[in-house]
Amino acid sequence: MRTFTGIAASPGIAIGRAILLRAGAYPVERQEIQPGQEEAELARFTATLAVTREELSRLYETARRRVGEAEAGIFEAHRLMVEDPEVLKAVTRRIREERLAAEYAMSEVMEGQARALEALPGEYLRERAQDVRDVKERLLSHLICPAEEPLPVGSGPMGGPVGEPVGGKPGMDAVDFPPILVAAEVKPSDVLPAGIGALGGLAVGRGGRASHAAILAAALGIPAVVGLGMFAEEVSPGALMVVDGMSGVVVLDPDAGTLASYQEKAAAHRAKARELATLAKLPAVTRDGNRITLKANLSNPAEVDAALAAGAEGVGLFRTEFLFMDRPAPPSEEEQFQTYRRVAEAMAGRMVYIRTADIGGDKPLPYLDLPPEDNPFLGLRGLRLSLARPDMFKAQLRAILQAAAHGNLAIMLPMVTEVGEVRAAKVEVDAARRELLSEGRTVPPVPVGIMVEVPAAALAADQLAAEVDFFSIGTNDLTQYTLAVDRGNEAVARLYRSDHPAVLTLITSVVRVGAERGIPVSVCGEMAGAPELAATLVRLGVRELSMSPGRLNLVKQAILTLEV
Ligand code: PEP
Ligand code: MG
């Protein structure tokens, strides 16, 4: 048994088996088969293709139901790769003519495909090489450890298969123990497809609490520990492990006593969650009578139900950029319209802040083919990118304006630095509105607000107030930019404090400007979802907080006992 300490990134306790998100998790040696074994080997390979195809279809269906068509598309693409007749032909030839074992023949063929894609120009194709390798690992895992029963959906890398169990204990299997994704580094786009299946937890080498992958894990209710350094190197596929997303501890190969104590902790955590759920219908009021509005941060319409069940009074941040990821081109205006409309309708008149795509920083989009930046967090990110890509921005604005007819929507602009950018964005909003009206469509009035997440915006809040309908303080970035501490770098995580006096001074000043100018001020960074920090915000005068749905009642519990 070994214990590792990282950064607690998403609460809950996961006890499960490791699956590794890294190339070569299933090493393959060249292996030849006996003469006369060719047809049996081929049958073994085609049976694996069938199992994998079925698994990918199930993953696609689950993904489509839980997070939507766009995110599910990755599994459909992978299924098509499994069905590629060229792969079958090439592997068949190598098994029959060269008498190679299926594992080696298939690995060679798919690796060849991946290398060919990598040699082509464009980042999108290079990323597809990674998809080919994901499919290869999935096929390999089925070849190496064929399951009698179908494997649980979403139980492996990118929702893929479970690795060969190592250090297993009698009576314990992948069904008793959900898969825990172990990786040196994850992008938000890795967590999305992995998170929609039965993923139990996440243990990652890199990243801080406010990295987007961690935020997404919290949104999906997956216990996570990040900033574990070289941990992934120590783990074998299938190893039993515990992820404690409250204390930031990960235990590898726990002994029986440790396992039992974590099982108790997990049960206590579930009991606490049930107790908190009873608060969902109560209004959040401090003991001295301050009414606090609690809203949800979402990145997908499929999360609306969980938000409403937890008592969300609106959506204080809908992160649209996740719609733009894991695909070869941006979503069409129609697809965006349908997505925003679903959220607007489901929230039934409650206010929804739709944030225009916050692309860039740690959320690059390969298909934009932008030149690499030395400092992406200080580069073409958020509104800066939208203004540089007017066509993409126009489609998004048209989609939001049309969806506004189906509920109560507002436009929120990310990464605002100066007044000129807001004015330029409003010109685009007006142009989109005029276009729609000239096409005979109805467009209700839609408020336009900004994220205050760059220190310059907080310091110039007075000027910005003249241009906007609301402020939402993004403390994740405000903290990173004020303190010059990368939000995703575990090496400086100790310095990343949203309650640093400098950050609190900026928040106080924005709240003051909001009060003076009659502009609503909310906070939608992770700070709002941490009970003690939320209490600090309320003491500073913030009356609206937006957070992952899973945190709403935890924060409400703190507010109910708070005296300002
Ligand atoms: C923030 O910066 O606080 C925020 C809410 O936006 P994001 O985390 O998506 O950058
Ligand atoms: Mg931000």
Side-chain angles (χ1 to χ4, degrees):
M1 173 171 100
R2 278 183 306 159
T3 301
F4 301 80
T5 305
I7 300 164
S10 170
I13 289 175
I15 302 171
R17 293 202 172 277
I19 49 157
L20 301 183
L21 186 69
R22 66 169 149 84
Y26 305 93
V28 186
E29 308 261 307
R30 182 185 168 94
Q31 207 190 331
E32 287 179 19
I33 51 174
Q34 297 296 324
Q37 285 297 306
E38 296 87 342
E39 294 314 306
E41 191 65 359
L42 198 53
R44 190 165 77 88
F45 178 61
T46 49
T48 300
L49 286 181
V51 168
T52 311
R53 216 167 33 227
E54 210 177 289
E55 180 183 64
L56 285 163
S57 299
R58 276 184 290 123
L59 276 166
Y60 170 75
E61 272 311 313
T62 316
R64 205 179 50 75
R65 267 199 321 278
R66 293 200 44 194
V67 286
E69 194 76 40
E71 288 81 4
I74 183 87
F75 298 116
E76 187 66 357
H78 284 195
R79 188 179 60 76
L80 291 175
M81 288 180 194
V82 170
E83 285 178 356
D84 182 352
E86 290 303 314
V87 171
L88 180 60
K89 210 163 96 192
V91 175
T92 303
R93 192 187 61 72
R94 301 202 71 172
I95 292 175
R96 281 204 179 122
E97 293 172 20
E98 296 175 39
R99 259 196 276 120
L100 289 172
E103 284 87 343
Y104 187 74
M106 185 276 295
S107 292
E108 287 284 289
V109 168
M110 298 211 68
E111 197 46 44
Q113 275 199 350
R115 277 197 293 266
L117 282 168
E118 271 170 346
L120 295 170
E123 197 172 334
Y124 179 71
L125 290 173
R126 281 197 294 279
E127 293 225 340
R128 297 292 66 79
Q130 188 50 46
D131 283 325
V132 174
R133 293 198 172 102
D134 283 348
V135 171
K136 180 187 85 177
E137 298 282 312
R138 186 184 291 277
L139 285 166
L140 268 180
S141 74
H142 283 305
L143 278 166
I144 292 168
C145 33
E148 309 254 318
E149 297 292 322
L151 287 163
V153 164
S155 53
M158 308 289 284
V162 180
E164 186 180 4
V166 173
K169 297 189 167 52
M172 294 173 176
D173 56 29
V175 179
D176 294 318
F177 291 101
I180 292 179
L181 187 67
V182 176
E185 188 165 5
V186 286
K187 299 191 294 302
S189 52
D190 296 324
V191 182
L192 252 192
I196 52 167
L199 194 69
L202 197 63
V204 187
R206 289 219 55 215
R209 184 176 292 121
S211 59
H212 281 101
I215 291 173
L216 210 51
L220 293 162
I222 302 169
V225 175
V226 299
L228 283 160
M230 302 303 281
F231 171 71
E233 299 293 312
E234 311 278 329
V235 185
S236 331
L240 191 64
M241 56 186 286
V242 176
V243 171
D244 181 343
M246 269 91 70
S247 66
V249 164
V250 169
V251 186
L252 190 57
D253 297 321
D255 60 30
T258 308
L259 192 62
S261 101
Y262 273 107
Q263 276 162 333
E264 258 171 48
K265 272 193 208 167
H269 183 74
R270 285 195 296 273
K272 166 100 176 146
R274 280 196 296 275
E275 180 199 319
L276 285 174
T278 62
L279 302 179
K281 294 211 161 55
L282 295 181
V285 184
T286 62
R287 276 177 48 177
D288 48 348
N290 292 290
R291 174 74 164 89
I292 313 298
T293 304
L294 299 184
K295 295 184 177 175
N297 291 351
L298 307 180
S299 51
N300 199 293
E303 295 161 7
V304 168
D305 290 348
L308 287 173
E313 298 174 83
V315 174
L317 167 62
F318 186 83
R319 290 183 166 98
T320 61
E321 55 276 8
F322 292 108
L323 255 176
F324 290 68
M325 292 179 180
D326 265 332
R327 51 193 305 153
S332 66
E333 178 183 316
E334 175 64 19
E335 183 183 338
Q336 292 190 61
F337 162 67
Q338 295 296 352
T339 304
Y340 309 148
R341 189 178 96 165
R342 265 178 74 192
V343 184
E345 283 179 348
M347 291 308 290
R350 296 171 185 86
M351 176 55 91
V352 177
Y353 290 173
I354 304 274
R355 178 172 78 179
T356 58
D358 184 19
I359 291 154
D362 61 348
K363 294 173 289 191
L365 280 188
Y367 54 79
L368 292 182
D369 269 333
L370 294 165
E373 297 177 299
D374 285 343
N375 294 296
F377 269 116
L378 303 183
L380 204 55
R381 179 187 170 192
L383 180 58
R384 302 170 183 184
L385 179 67
S386 292
L387 292 173
R389 293 289 173 124
D391 286 356
M392 211 165 86
F393 195 33
K394 169 79 76 63
Q396 179 159 44
L397 294 173
R398 283 176 55 102
I400 301 173
L401 292 174
Q402 290 171 86
H406 299 266
N408 198 4
L409 297 190
I411 294 171
M412 179 153 79
L413 307 169
M415 189 75 188
V416 169
T417 311
E418 53 151 46
V419 175
E421 291 172 302
V422 180
R423 291 198 186 120
K426 283 168 65 183
V427 167
E428 298 299 328
V429 174
D430 284 342
R433 170 188 301 281
R434 275 199 308 276
E435 238 178 57
L436 290 166
L437 291 175
S438 73
E439 292 164 16
R441 298 174 206 258
T442 11
V443 185
V446 176
V448 177
I450 59 165
M451 302 273 302
V452 179
E453 50 185 350
V454 174
L459 293 165
D462 220 7
Q463 266 187 34
L464 288 160
E467 296 291 339
V468 302
D469 297 308
F470 61 89
F471 289 142
S472 180
I473 307 178
T475 49
N476 302 336
D477 280 310
L478 190 61
T479 304
Q480 115 163 316
Y481 294 131
T482 305
L483 306 181
V485 174
D486 182 342
R487 62 193 272 184
N489 182 347
E490 69 285 355
V492 289
R494 199 183 53 77
L495 291 172
Y496 185 90
R497 295 196 59 96
S498 294
D499 59 353
H500 186 291
V503 181
L504 297 185
T505 302
L506 290 175
I507 295 172
T508 307
S509 126
V510 177
V511 170
R512 182 184 49 75
V513 172
E516 282 169 12
R517 309 290 291 254
I519 293 180
V521 176
S522 54
V523 173
C524 65
E526 290 306 285
M527 190 181 181
E532 277 178 23
L533 296 177
T536 303
L537 290 169
V538 170
R539 288 202 181 91
L540 294 181
V542 177
R543 292 294 174 264
E544 195 171 310
L545 301 168
S546 193
M547 64 205 75
S548 304
R551 314 246 178 173
L552 282 164
N553 288 309
L554 207 58
V555 168
K556 190 180 286 179
Q557 191 181 44
I559 287 171
L560 292 173
T561 57
L562 182 70
E563 232 164 287
V564 181

